[in-house]
Amino acid sequence: MPNIKIGIDLYGGDNAPDCVVEGALFALQNKFLSPDELVIVGDEISQEDKKRLNNVEIIPAKDLITNETKPTEVLKLKESSMYIGCEKLKKKELTAFVSAGNTGALFSAGTFVAGRLEGIKRPALVLALPSKNNKPKILVDAGANAEVKADHFYDFAREGIAYANFLNITNPRVAILNIGSEDEKGNSLVKEASDLLKEKKNINYVGYVEARDIFDDTCDVVVTDGFTGNNVLKTMEGTAYFIMHELKETIKQSGLFTKLGALMLRSSLKSLVNKIDYRSYGGTFFLGVNGILVKAHGSSDAEAIANALYVAYRACKFDLLSKINL
């Protein structure tokens, strides 16, 4: 494994650049990254912070990418932090790049600037979800590819398996998300994809899984198109927030004993919220890109940025890209 160099997008995310700087400092102070392993792409940093970031390489970047920037526009913004970071991935000057910026723009930069891994037609957004047995469930694609072909499911399966291995899941079971578990259910796309995965000896394919069974111990990797995957993710997120909101409202309107009981359960409820929050894993991956590309949540605070850097560091040490069976 070559020397680790992890780039962080200074201008990515709702709380940039301050939280990105603080997250980088947090990573250095906790010593899982050394100054010579970290590169900050973007130079809007105070002199005081530059002193605190002593020996960390800082690369200037001019063009700004916002949430309104269209994915294709990033390819013209060659002096943006996102473009520069992905270009350095391509040149192997970075082993990983982390950004909390525009998801579509990052995927576009990763795919067309850093480039695809040889043998991969479609990179995908790969993330870990909670499940009943406390073992993470891998979702691929979580929103990168709205329209796909059947053979792209083979790419998604291999990307998901590599990430499952990264999370210590051996011989992960792969399932296709469908409206039913029976072979005759679903549209022509999932049927064709299912037939394809059945033929692949390097895939432990177990058939279809319904959305309501995602949290059960029926499979380890769930593959679907990005349109469906992103809707699943946002439905889960919205449902979790709705349940917590209704629970709080019910407690407010209840008597003293209920409120005392809720107070006693506060730490347990907080633990539950953390468990159902996929962001607790620190960052998600665009896998299939020619480099380790980590997408941090857009609203990441300093701790979340540090977590994303740590995930990227672990992926470098694990040599994640080599685990994608090409």
Side-chain angles (χ1 to χ4, degrees), residues 5-13 20 23-24 27 32-33 37-42 81-82 84-86 89 94-102 106 282-286 291-297 300-302 304-316:
K5 281 278 189 183
I6 299 176
I8 178 71
D9 181 359
L10 182 67
Y11 305 128
V20 175
F32 63 78
L33 273 181
E37 291 175 326
L38 182 62
V39 177
I40 295 179
V41 187
S81 52
M82 198 175 283
I84 292 169
C86 289
L89 272 185
L94 291 177
T95 45
F97 181 59
V98 178
S99 177
N102 181 319
L106 184 63
T284 59
F285 287 88
F286 282 120
I292 293 171
L293 188 58
V294 177
K295 172 66 176 75
H297 199 277
S300 291
D301 57 13
I305 291 293
N307 285 340
L309 286 168
Y310 181 60
V311 166
Y313 176 77
R314 286 181 51 231
C316 292

Side-chain angles (χ1 to χ4, degrees), residues 137-184:
K137 187 69 61 76
I138 314 304
L139 177 65
V140 194
D141 176 16
N145 302 281
E147 296 182 12
V148 300
K149 297 178 181 178
D151 57 346
H152 296 151
F153 280 70
Y154 181 46
D155 290 343
F156 297 166
R158 289 180 290 164
E159 292 156 5
I161 289 168
Y163 190 43
N165 292 157
F166 172 64
L167 296 177
N168 299 314
I169 301 172
T170 57
N171 194 27
R173 299 159 295 170
V174 177
I176 293 175
L177 186 63
N178 198 5
I179 58 172
S181 58
E182 301 86 357
D183 283 344
E184 65 271 13

Side-chain angles (χ1 to χ4, degrees), residues 64-111:
L64 188 63
I65 291 174
T66 68
N67 289 333
E68 284 70 47
T69 303
K70 295 179 181 178
T72 53
E73 290 177 358
V74 71
L75 305 180
K76 301 175 184 177
L77 300 173
K78 296 186 178 182
E79 293 189 67
S80 66
S81 52
M82 198 175 283
Y83 189 103
I84 292 169
C86 289
E87 188 174 46
K88 289 190 174 294
L89 272 185
K90 179 181 181 179
K91 294 178 178 179
K92 305 301 180 186
E93 294 174 12
L94 291 177
T95 45
F97 181 59
V98 178
S99 177
N102 181 319
T103 303
L106 184 63
F107 180 64
S108 181
T111 303

Side-chain angles (χ1 to χ4, degrees), residues 1 14 25 39 91 116 119 181 194 221 225 229 274 297 299 301:
M1 182 71 199
D14 302 336
L25 287 166
V39 177
K91 294 178 178 179
R116 295 185 291 267
S181 58
S194 181
V221 177
D225 63 272
N274 290 335
H297 199 277
S299 61
D301 57 13

